[in-house]
Amino acid sequence: MRTSSPEDYNEGMTVFLCSKCGTAITPELAELAAVPNFSDDERDRDKETRRAPSTVPRGRYVIDSEPWGPPYVVQDDQEDPKPAQTRGPLVCREEGFVISAGVQGTVLMHPEDAPDLRPLPNWENSTGCCGPTGNEGLNRACPCGAAVATLAADCFGPYELHLDPVRTYGFSQ
């Protein structure tokens, strides 16, 4: 169960827009001061979809300071590997266990707060068992067609959306 208090939120509201066309991708969202605690307990997953609860509650966002997505580099410690990215599973490739060296500063939010984003053509970068793992890079596009976000929604990882910090921008009042 997630709880929050007034000090968990920064003041003001922000709308995120596509850097290519300027279309609003989200409604107004309130910023969280830090990534919320999340549950990775199997019992908290949706019984039908097997999806985890969203990392971020609806109507909120947080800037994720950790690397997310590709490229990946081989981990130094192959005996005691870490998840490939924060809140994600271990990823083993031909060369061994890998860790994300991807972009930092993604806008982490509830996937349902960007309802008009669509999968890339041919479901590019959207492989997974029950949904995209998010391990392959950008997999969601603005209605204009520009790839702007990565959805992680598979049954064994987190449920979250990462807006690319270069392909999107925030507007606050």
Side-chain angles (χ1 to χ4, degrees):
M1 174 66 101
R2 189 176 329 217
T3 59
S4 58
S5 60
E7 59 271 7
D8 291 335
Y9 304 97
N10 290 331
E11 302 254 346
M13 300 294 276
T14 303
V15 173
F16 290 92
L17 303 103
C18 172
S19 293
K20 181 176 180 183
C21 71
T23 296
I25 296 170
T26 70
E28 290 185 331
L29 303 174
E31 185 177 7
L32 295 169
V35 176
N37 291 330
F38 66 98
S39 172
D40 59 0
D41 189 321
E42 282 295 314
R43 294 174 291 191
D44 291 336
R45 291 185 175 274
D46 182 271
K47 303 303 181 233
E48 194 171 308
T49 65
R50 302 292 305 136
R51 195 179 285 152
S54 180
T55 305
V56 177
R58 295 278 320 254
R60 310 286 186 241
Y61 76 94
V62 64
I63 303 301
D64 191 355
S65 63
E66 297 295 321
W68 180 263
Y72 293 93
V73 296
V74 176
Q75 293 189 36
D76 291 332
D77 187 352
Q78 292 292 304
E79 298 299 317
D80 187 24
K82 297 177 181 172
Q85 46 216 7
T86 307
R87 300 172 307 282
L90 290 172
V91 174
C92 189
R93 304 248 165 102
E94 199 173 290
E95 61 276 16
F97 289 103
V98 295
I99 194 162
S100 176
V103 67
Q104 293 177 294
T106 61
V107 176
L108 178 59
M109 56 186 284
H110 194 292
E112 293 173 21
D113 280 335
D116 294 332
L117 294 185
R118 299 290 178 248
L120 295 181
N122 301 315
W123 290 84
E124 182 180 347
N125 297 335
S126 290
T127 59
C129 173
C130 301
T133 63
N135 291 338
E136 298 170 305
L138 297 170
N139 59 20
R140 292 296 179 266
C142 171
C144 78
V148 296
T150 303
L151 173 65
D154 202 8
C155 59
F156 63 84
Y159 180 50
E160 54 193 35
L161 183 71
H162 291 258
L163 297 182
D164 185 280
V166 173
R167 296 167 184 255
T168 62
Y169 65 96
F171 178 75
S172 302
Q173 289 188 339

